[in-house]
Amino acid sequence: MSYIVLDKNKCKSCYLCTDVCPKELIKKSDEIGKTGEFIVKFEDKENQCLGCSQCAIMCPEIAITEVHKE
Amino acid sequence: MQVYSTPKAIKENSNFTFCPGCDHGLAIKTIAHVIDELNIRENTIAVASSGCSVFLYNFLDVDCIESPHGRACAVATGVKRAHKAQGNNKFVFTYQGDGDFASIGLAESMHSALRGENITAICINNTNYGMTGGQLGPTTAMGQITTTSQNGRNREYHGFPIKTAEQIAQCEGTCFSARVALYDIKNIINTKNTIKKAFEYQNQNLGFSFVEILSSCPTNWKLSPKESHEKIKTELSQIFPLGVLKDVKND
Ligand SMILES: Cc1ncc(C[n+]2csc(CCOP(=O)(O)OP(=O)(O)O)c2C)c(N)n1
Ligand code: SF4
Ligand code: SF4
């Protein structure tokens, strides 16, 4: 199972990661982050994550700190 | 298997203080990955400048020195030469905004290139003075609205923008000059490879190496981070074409 590690305290709600995930696994959550906006969440109930790291490469805050690929 | 990790050249527990979606974060992260890959963290001295770029020393886990506005290439020259005189071959690079590099610091920047100073300069071109509130800068595009060009940049009053990477490529002491962008994955990876090449050229003592990064300033552009990347892709990269403008190894 591939997965990412998201540091919620670093997310600034720019949503750039939501556009690059080929499986659309990163979405706006209902949790407010440090900029006063909704931060993102990673949800992968069907184990679709490819471990491609595109979200991590795109995140300007290094809020996606790790990507693990199986 | 872990396939992505935070670069080691980023200080632990550091949080970028840039506006949400600002490409300064992406640029610094990309530089940190290159420092990791080349394994030069212990031997690197970064020269920060004035502007949003100034915060470099808070985030990069390398020795840093702060320079007065525009003077980063002059400071880097001194750092590189002083260490060389002691027999130390330090790796020295500057991180500057477009206002810093190409306006107030144009003389220092261009003469460093003309001297073929063996340093690397990285210039964040976000087409305005970001830190001070989005004023017109030397790279502001024709027609672009800023806080000091409310009707758009025009030829009569403001004149034309500078194409920095092309100008630096013209200097004989320049070994490498390129313009890159960060608006999608392909371009971020290309930016990393380009910076790596510029850094390697310094290690080979080939002269002045330069990378201009077309970057977003969502706050002053009054666009979302996504719209800002779209603007770079569709508008700015037409005005400031991406690519390698000089490479002594290929010319
Ligand atoms: C000698 C001097 N003049 C003016 C300033 C004010 N100042 C600080 S940052 C800045 C503009 C920086 O713009 P740029 O280099 O494009 O970097 P950005 O903030 O867009 O990353 C100015 C004019 C200063 N710090 N020092
Ligand atoms: S790219 Fe990073 S900062 Fe932006 S929304 Fe995604 S996790 Fe948050
Ligand atoms: S003002 Fe512009 S350049 Fe400065 S941190 Fe904000 S978005 Fe980035």
Side-chain angles (χ1 to χ4, degrees):
Chain A
M1 190 186 71
S2 301
Y3 65 96
I4 67 169
V5 177
L6 174 71
D7 183 344
K8 287 183 186 178
N9 297 321
K10 288 194 166 171
C11 177
K12 280 195 194 150
S13 312
C14 71
Y15 308 130
L16 287 173
C17 55
T18 61
D19 291 323
V20 293
C21 176
K23 298 290 181 187
E24 295 178 25
L25 301 172
I26 307 177
K27 296 202 178 75
K28 226 185 243 194
S29 72
D30 50 13
E31 199 176 323
I32 305 269
K34 61 180 172 186
T35 64
E37 305 275 342
F38 294 116
I39 58 169
V40 294
K41 61 176 177 191
F42 173 74
E43 230 173 44
D44 187 14
K45 290 190 182 120
E46 291 160 34
N47 294 342
Q48 289 190 72
C49 179
L50 302 168
C52 67
S53 306
Q54 296 195 67
C55 55
I57 293 169
M58 187 46 100
C59 176
E61 302 299 329
I62 325 188
I64 298 166
T65 54
E66 292 176 20
V67 179
H68 297 260
K69 185 180 175 134
E70 290 309 322
Chain B
M1 180 179 63
Q2 189 165 343
V3 287
Y4 182 90
S5 43
T6 302
K8 288 195 177 61
I10 293 287
K11 283 185 189 168
E12 250 178 79
N13 304 322
S14 71
N15 286 312
F16 289 157
T17 43
F18 306 115
C19 305
C22 172
D23 275 349
H24 267 298
L26 267 178
I28 292 177
K29 181 175 81 169
T30 305
I31 292 169
H33 278 300
V34 175
I35 291 174
D36 278 9
E37 282 179 23
L38 295 176
N39 197 19
I40 51 175
R41 186 154 55 114
E42 297 294 331
N43 198 40
T44 295
I45 301 176
V47 183
S49 58
S50 296
C52 295
S53 46
V54 73
F55 301 115
L56 186 74
Y57 48 71
N58 283 337
F59 314 129
L60 270 192
D61 197 8
V62 299
D63 287 334
C64 285
I65 182 167
E66 166 58 12
S67 62
H69 204 6
R71 282 34 171 177
C73 286
V75 171
T77 297
V79 169
K80 184 84 185 187
R81 289 190 182 204
H83 277 282
K84 202 175 168 194
Q86 306 272 323
N88 301 324
N89 193 15
K90 287 285 177 188
F91 180 79
V92 181
F93 78 94
T94 72
Y95 183 78
Q96 310 173 250
D98 47 335
D100 190 272
F101 184 93
S103 187
I104 187 169
L106 185 61
E108 285 78 0
S109 306
M110 191 155 269
H111 282 289
S112 299
L114 287 165
R115 290 194 305 273
E117 213 61 59
N118 200 34
I119 55 175
T120 305
I122 293 176
C123 174
I124 301 299
N125 178 3
N126 57 16
T127 71
N128 65 32
Y129 291 122
M131 180 176 253
T132 44
Q135 293 85 355
L136 176 133
T139 47
T140 300
M142 295 309 271
Q144 188 177 334
I145 293 168
T146 68
T147 45
T148 50
S149 58
Q150 300 271 333
N151 297 318
R153 182 177 197 141
N154 68 72
R155 179 185 176 151
E156 292 71 33
Y157 192 74
H158 309 101
F160 296 99
I162 184 170
K163 293 194 171 141
T164 317
E166 283 83 346
Q167 295 289 342
I168 294 300
Q170 291 291 317
C171 300
E172 275 178 69
T174 301
C175 64
F176 185 77
S177 180
R179 185 181 294 111
V180 294
L182 299 162
Y183 59 75
D184 62 14
I185 301 293
K186 186 176 145 216
N187 278 283
I188 295 171
I189 291 170
N190 180 52
T191 297
K192 191 177 91 178
N193 293 335
T194 305
I195 293 173
K196 197 171 182 181
K197 191 167 212 179
F199 280 17
E200 281 167 347
Y201 278 26
Q202 180 184 156
N203 276 336
Q204 294 161 27
N205 294 310
L206 294 177
F208 190 80
S209 47
F210 179 69
V211 182
E212 173 182 343
I213 309 180
L214 282 188
S215 302
S216 65
C217 177
T219 302
N220 288 306
W221 290 0
K222 300 182 173 53
L223 296 173
S224 72
K226 186 183 177 179
E227 290 164 343
S228 300
H229 277 175
E230 207 52 40
K231 178 186 167 82
I232 296 172
K233 181 180 175 182
T234 56
E235 287 174 38
L236 293 181
S237 57
Q238 307 304 310
I239 303 167
F240 302 104
L242 305 179
V244 176
L245 293 141
K246 184 173 187 186
D247 182 344
V248 277
K249 289 205 178 172
N250 291 341
D251 293 346

